[in-house]
Amino acid sequence: HLFKNLQSLSIHLSNVSSFPPEIQHLQNLETLDLSNTEFVEFPSIITNLEKLKNISFFQNHFEYIPDSIVNLQHLEVLSFIHCRLKECPNAILELTNLKELYISGNEEIIIPFGISNLTKLERLGLHSNKIKECPVSIFDLEKLEFLDLSSNNIQTIPTSIEKLKKLEELILSSNRHMQNCLFLNLPRLERLVVDRHITDIILNEKVEHNILITNGYHSYSNTVRYINEFERVNFLRQMKREHIDTLNICIPDRIKCSICYSLLFFPRV
């Protein structure tokens, strides 16, 4: 086999719609990139290539991922961008060596609750999936450093996001109906991407570095407020009194954010 030692294979802008059986002889293959091809079904034959570490699918046409993907236990990077996927299979949750997972530009994907099994995950991209509610299970991913939830239909971000102590970059732009107030107790946050209608952003005062806040094109900082731990607790207690059962960071429309903050804990400006 001439290519038995091949480690990387990329197929772009091709009318390829299936693999020949001989591909399973590429037992040293580590990276596979399929972009703009004619695959209408996931090429299950690649699940025999157990040394694969990086798989990227971009603009393909298959809707489902077979359970046999669980054979690829060395996978570290898995990407499905604009592939018309209709579900995120539970088999992916058994790929416990994953460090990067991108499932974006598909149908209205439901993120399995067990995604917290991916304990090594550092980067998670879920943009453009018509997600309506922020999947709280992702906040149990303690090593997560990058999270993209942009271009969905998310309205609120739960306070449990503060469990992501290592999060450095958070992208929330193009969620048109998102609340105009964000409470983010994220000590390592370095970059936040939000829309212009977000008029109040509350951060923990323990942050010792400058946070780049941008809408993707221009940076701004005049909406940022910093609070300490005591003020944070008071804020959450007030939310309970307002009977917000889920304790998400939502202030009633009848109360202007700036007035609410002044009454509750006199934030610094």
Side-chain angles (χ1 to χ4, degrees), residues 24 33 48 118 120 127 164 171 191 210 221:
Q24 60 188 327
D33 182 0
N48 294 319
L118 304 179
K120 296 182 179 180
H127 72 79
L164 299 179
I171 305 178
R191 184 171 184 263
N210 293 326
S221 59

Side-chain angles (χ1 to χ4, degrees), residues 1-6 21-28:
H1 300 288
L2 183 62
F3 301 106
K4 66 178 181 179
N5 292 319
L6 189 70
E22 287 77 13
I23 194 174
Q24 60 188 327
H25 297 304
L26 303 180
Q27 287 299 314
N28 290 305

Side-chain angles (χ1 to χ4, degrees), residues 104 124-127 146-152 169-172:
S104 302
L124 178 60
L126 297 173
H127 72 79
F146 170 91
L147 177 59
D148 185 357
L149 294 170
S150 62
S151 300
N152 284 294
E169 184 169 358
L170 177 60
I171 305 178
L172 300 174

Side-chain angles (χ1 to χ4, degrees), residues 81-96:
I81 310 296
H82 297 293
C83 288
R84 302 183 183 179
L85 287 183
K86 291 187 175 180
E87 63 178 21
C88 179
N90 288 326
I92 287 182
L93 307 181
E94 298 183 43
L95 301 175
T96 54

